Amino acid sequence: MTLPPHSLTATATGPIGVFDSGFGGLTVLQEIRARLPHYDYLFLGDNARAPYGGHSFDVVYQYTLQGVEALFEQGCHLVILACNTASAKALRTIQQHDLEKIDPNRRVLGVIRPTAEIVGHLTTTRHVGLLATPGTISSKSYDMEIQKLHPDVKVTGVACPMWVPLVENFEYDKPGADYFVKAKIDELMERDRQIDVMILGCTHFPFLLPKIAHYLPTCVKAISQGQYVAEQLEDYLHRHQEMDCKCSKGGSCRYLTTEDSEIFNKTARLFLREDVNAMQIVLN
Ligand code: DGL
């Protein structure tokens, strides 16, 4: 279905857009809504084309740009890429090249910077682990971001190509998931035994937290991003009143998906534990 574009005038307010390749971004959305409940939100999951993790840089960039443009068309002035793969592979180009052409007054923010900021304050050994999709690991975005902010912190990353499919296929709490979770945690800890903070660098991974906590050494703290992204968004809106006043505040949350809406609703309901009534859209 094609949604009619929202008529955007300079003074019109709009919801905060939240974009992910699939369902993982719902973990971020939940934390943002819990911290900032009075804003309106519009979530878009590109479920028909998820997962993004194994796609090339250019494909992730094109898909993400299409998602951002769709959210802008629906009246969002501010879009959060609640996806590490999209933040790693598309955010910088969108911020530096596309926004200027689309509308220099709109903003797109990612999830890597807020996470990179916080880890430097949480690690005592200055050795940080990163588990993420192959795309995020190969982009080296975390290494670069952490290096800029906390140059004394050493980052060791391990790609977990099976973890997103485990979540998307509702296998994350099944016994079969244990093998994949344990294998990657063991690989990470063998590569650097001094790690005391481990970033879950994919918004899908919090669904695996009970199993991660089971296999992770107790001296290592696992960091889920949602809480920190929500804190940073609150701070951003506080510092940027010109953007804050463009974000509508009705406490609503709507959902868009590129998959069949019934499929999305059924799964999102299980993840969110609340009823969801999504609308299907086509991105191109
Ligand atoms: N939630 C996305 C992330 O944070 C999942 C990536 C994917 O679609 O592979 O990276």
Side-chain angles (χ1 to χ4, degrees), residues 189-205:
M189 296 312 296
E190 270 160 32
R191 292 210 6 225
D192 185 351
R193 298 212 167 270
Q194 288 176 264
I195 288 169
D196 66 346
V197 168
M198 188 191 72
I199 303 168
L200 299 183
C202 171
T203 54
H204 282 67
F205 292 179

Side-chain angles (χ1 to χ4, degrees), residues 19-28 46 49-55 60 81-88 111 132-136 142 160-161 164-165 168 200-206 225:
F19 175 79
D20 185 31
S21 57
F23 293 106
L26 296 175
T27 61
V28 175
D46 191 8
R49 303 189 292 196
Y52 279 9
H55 286 310
V60 173
L81 299 184
C83 175
N84 289 269
T85 313
S87 301
V111 288
T133 65
T136 301
Y142 272 99
C160 306
V164 171
E168 291 278 323
L200 299 183
C202 171
T203 54
H204 282 67
F205 292 179
Q225 303 171 292

Side-chain angles (χ1 to χ4, degrees), residues 22-129:
F23 293 106
L26 296 175
T27 61
V28 175
L29 177 70
Q30 260 179 325
E31 295 279 355
I32 294 177
R33 282 178 71 197
R35 191 162 189 103
L36 302 167
H38 47 294
Y39 290 86
D40 292 314
Y41 297 94
L42 182 58
F43 179 86
L44 169 57
D46 191 8
N47 303 78
R49 303 189 292 196
Y52 279 9
H55 286 310
S56 68
F57 191 98
D58 198 47
V59 167
V60 173
Y61 161 65
Q62 292 298 343
Y63 287 179
T64 306
L65 180 59
Q66 290 166 6
V68 166
E69 286 180 323
L71 287 165
F72 283 167
E73 272 170 28
Q74 289 310 306
C76 301
H77 294 268
L78 174 65
V79 171
I80 311 297
L81 299 184
C83 175
N84 289 269
T85 313
S87 301
K89 292 187 165 186
L91 179 63
R92 190 170 295 264
T93 316
I94 292 175
Q95 285 176 332
Q96 293 180 352
H97 298 285
D98 298 297
L99 277 184
E100 200 182 328
K101 283 179 251 154
I102 302 169
D103 180 347
N105 293 319
R106 304 208 208 179
R107 289 289 174 269
V108 182
L109 306 175
V111 288
I112 293 179
R113 174 87 187 198
T115 316
E117 270 181 31
I118 196 72
V119 288
H121 306 296
L122 298 177
T123 171
T124 10
T125 62
R126 314 310 280 167
H127 288 247
V128 167

Side-chain angles (χ1 to χ4, degrees), residues 204-275:
H204 282 67
F205 292 179
F207 291 110
L208 289 157
L209 253 180
K211 290 197 191 290
I212 292 168
H214 184 75
Y215 293 109
L216 196 66
T218 47
C219 56
V220 182
K221 183 177 168 53
I223 308 281
S224 298
Q225 303 171 292
Q227 176 198 342
Y228 303 111
V229 173
E231 283 172 16
Q232 296 269 330
L233 176 60
E234 183 175 36
D235 179 57
Y236 175 87
L237 290 168
H238 188 70
R239 285 184 291 110
H240 294 271
Q241 287 300 313
E242 78 292 353
M243 178 54 76
D244 186 66
C245 65
K246 289 184 203 160
C247 297
S248 56
K249 297 166 186 76
S252 73
C253 189
R254 290 181 297 123
Y255 297 87
L256 302 174
T257 175
T258 53
E259 208 5 304
D260 177 86
S261 55
E262 272 317 304
I263 295 176
F264 179 89
N265 292 345
K266 203 167 138 227
T267 310
R269 196 178 298 134
L270 291 167
F271 282 134
L272 291 170
R273 296 175 214 284
E274 67 178 45
D275 276 342

